[in-house]
Amino acid sequence: RSFIVHGYRGTTMDAVAEQAHISKQSLYRDYPSKDALYSAVVRDWVDCGYDAMRPHTAALAETRQAREGLLGLAHVLQAGLLSPPVLQMRTLIAAEAQRFPDVAADYVTRSWTRNIRMLAEALSVLTARELLRIDDPGAAAEQLTWLVVAAPLNRLTLQAGAHPYGDDELKAVAAQGVATFMSRYGPEDMDHR
């Protein structure tokens, strides 16, 4: 939490030890430097996010109606990627990417790439069940994600002081994104699915 609130430069090992209610010696035993602690914090953050997505992509793979399943996942993607803690972590990693390129690359691989792969697997299942027609599930997973989060993510990360989207706005973005996705990847007889 200290890295998110104070940034890398504003975080001290002393403050982290105090917040964690451990001795500085214990902290330094596990993390010999602030760099090592930062790397571990980002890795742990990523793994928690990955684990949080797993039940939602599993539910998508089991859906009986592609559009409804995709809408449900779209809302989960928005809630996750647009939440203040995730936005703050992304901002921190971007701000420190020059100093810690390996941490940033690991974040992309362990977060974005793994979650896109997991979503692609669910889309493959829906394709095998003939609820979708997808020949490149990885590309489709990226497209779906950007269709439902790109505009709000840009507003929240690139416009200082921007107001977050309201629930109705996010639902509209999700519905439009899923409609666009279904127009490309939906089955021929969409009305029956």
Side-chain angles (χ1 to χ4, degrees):
R1 175 159 164 75
S2 185
F3 284 115
I4 289 176
V5 173
H6 302 293
Y8 178 84
R9 288 175 184 82
T11 297
T12 65
M13 295 293 274
D14 289 351
V16 170
E18 185 177 322
Q19 287 176 351
H21 304 290
I22 60 173
S23 70
K24 286 189 288 185
Q25 293 80 11
S26 295
L27 180 63
Y28 276 106
R29 184 184 62 238
D30 293 335
Y31 307 102
S33 68
K34 186 164 82 166
D35 293 4
L37 177 62
Y38 172 71
S39 178
V41 165
V42 172
R43 191 175 311 109
D44 183 61
W45 175 271
V46 167
D47 289 343
C48 288
Y50 179 74
D51 290 339
M53 280 301 298
R54 188 183 313 271
H56 301 288
T57 54
L60 174 62
E62 295 172 6
T63 191
R64 292 180 176 209
Q65 296 188 346
R67 183 181 306 273
E68 285 72 17
L70 291 167
L71 274 172
L73 186 73
H75 297 307
V76 168
L77 288 171
Q78 289 175 336
L81 289 171
L82 303 176
S83 69
V86 171
L87 293 172
Q88 291 167 338
M89 180 58 80
R90 289 173 61 95
T91 299
L92 172 67
I93 292 166
E96 298 301 332
Q98 290 278 357
R99 181 188 301 237
F100 299 104
D102 292 344
V103 172
D106 188 57
Y107 177 83
V108 170
T109 300
R110 293 168 64 84
S111 176
W112 185 263
T113 304
R114 284 196 309 175
N115 280 303
I116 290 295
R117 189 177 310 123
M118 190 166 46
L119 176 54
E121 290 168 5
L123 296 176
S124 293
V125 170
L126 296 182
T127 298
R129 293 174 48 214
E130 299 182 349
L131 295 175
L132 295 173
R133 292 175 296 126
I134 297 175
D135 56 353
D136 185 345
E142 290 237 15
Q143 291 164 1
L144 175 64
T145 302
W146 284 119
L147 283 169
V148 301
V149 301
L153 183 63
N154 276 344
R155 180 196 290 182
L156 294 172
T157 57
L158 300 175
Q159 295 177 340
H163 296 289
Y165 277 51
D167 289 342
D168 289 341
E169 286 179 289
L170 285 175
K171 286 179 183 175
V173 169
Q176 292 164 2
V178 169
T180 299
F181 187 85
M182 290 298 292
S183 71
R184 167 65 177 87
Y185 296 114
E188 296 291 344
D189 55 343
M190 279 194 299
D191 295 336
H192 299 85
R193 304 293 174 123

